Amino acid sequence: MPRSQRNDNFIDKTFTVMADMILKVLPANRKAKEAFVYYRDGMSAQADGEYAEALDNYYEALKLEEDSYDKSYILYNIGLIHASNGEHEKALEYYYQAIDLNPRHPSALNNIAVIYHYQGDRLKEEGNSEEAEALYDKAAEYWREAIRIAPNNYIEAQNWLKTTGRSQIDVFF
């Protein structure tokens, strides 16, 4: 039984009913609509912590989805799952694929920066300050781009850029 038919939560059921209604009137081909159903079920499974099921749905959505913008969000969500499982290198692969399809994806840019920053912190703790600084610089590069696209987001990153001297401008909005 598809996940969309199993939701016990009132909000999930309401969302599913609304999404199904929109899907019926959406001027999209059958393949795109089917891709959306898999994507929606993947998001639902991911929200419930059912990562294997979510990945299965996302991979099916990827096979069907033709729109590069929509594909970028599927890839981004796959990256989220790998990151939450501590598979940072795998997560980076998916975030990079998302950015290749949608260079203006600030969340993917932010998450790449977060991983580089985290890896920098680990290296710094191990005493590898020079390598850590290189990763911090990479994190800064991705955060600056994410902030350029979404200037009202990522306040902590903006503060970190400013306090570490990695900010290229004085004021963020």
Side-chain angles (χ1 to χ4, degrees):
M1 172 186 309
R3 172 168 280 278
S4 60
Q5 295 175 2
R6 293 189 273 157
N7 291 330
D8 298 327
N9 172 317
F10 172 77
I11 294 172
D12 284 346
K13 280 185 179 180
T14 303
F15 171 77
T16 300
V17 169
M18 290 177 60
D20 286 342
M21 288 175 19
I22 292 170
L23 201 56
K24 286 178 184 171
V25 298
L26 193 69
N29 66 36
R30 178 172 158 63
K31 199 172 178 182
K33 289 179 180 183
E34 191 176 347
F36 176 77
V37 169
Y38 280 112
Y39 178 68
R40 182 197 60 209
D41 287 350
M43 288 191 318
S44 178
Q46 186 174 354
D48 290 344
E50 300 290 339
Y51 296 143
E53 182 182 344
L55 286 173
D56 288 344
N57 280 297
Y58 289 145
Y59 292 137
E60 288 300 318
L62 271 179
K63 289 178 195 173
L64 297 166
E65 186 56 65
E66 295 172 349
D67 182 80
S68 59
Y69 183 83
D70 291 342
K71 268 188 169 183
S72 76
Y73 280 91
I74 298 167
L75 292 163
Y76 168 76
N77 280 320
I78 293 171
L80 283 176
I81 291 171
H82 288 298
S84 68
N85 288 334
E87 300 169 317
H88 296 124
E89 295 305 318
K90 228 175 184 178
L92 285 171
E93 289 175 28
Y94 284 98
Y95 292 146
Y96 280 128
Q97 288 179 54
I99 289 178
D100 285 344
L101 294 176
N102 178 10
R104 296 187 51 81
H105 197 309
S107 297
L109 292 163
N110 174 65
N111 288 8
I112 290 170
V114 167
I115 290 172
Y116 284 140
H117 188 271
Y118 171 81
Q119 291 173 335
D121 284 347
R122 299 290 79 73
L123 287 172
K124 192 173 185 177
E125 288 172 6
E126 295 170 5
N128 297 328
S129 294
E130 194 172 305
E131 291 178 49
E133 286 301 316
L135 287 172
Y136 290 149
D137 288 343
K138 284 176 88 171
E141 175 187 335
Y142 284 95
W143 268 325
R144 283 192 298 267
E145 183 63 15
I147 293 164
R148 186 186 67 71
I149 295 167
N152 295 323
N153 296 354
Y154 316 115
I155 302 302
E156 288 181 36
Q158 291 181 36
N159 290 335
W160 180 82
L161 288 168
K162 198 170 198 175
T163 59
T164 61
R166 288 180 169 88
S167 173
Q168 293 179 331
I169 58 176
D170 290 333
V171 178
F172 291 112
F173 297 93

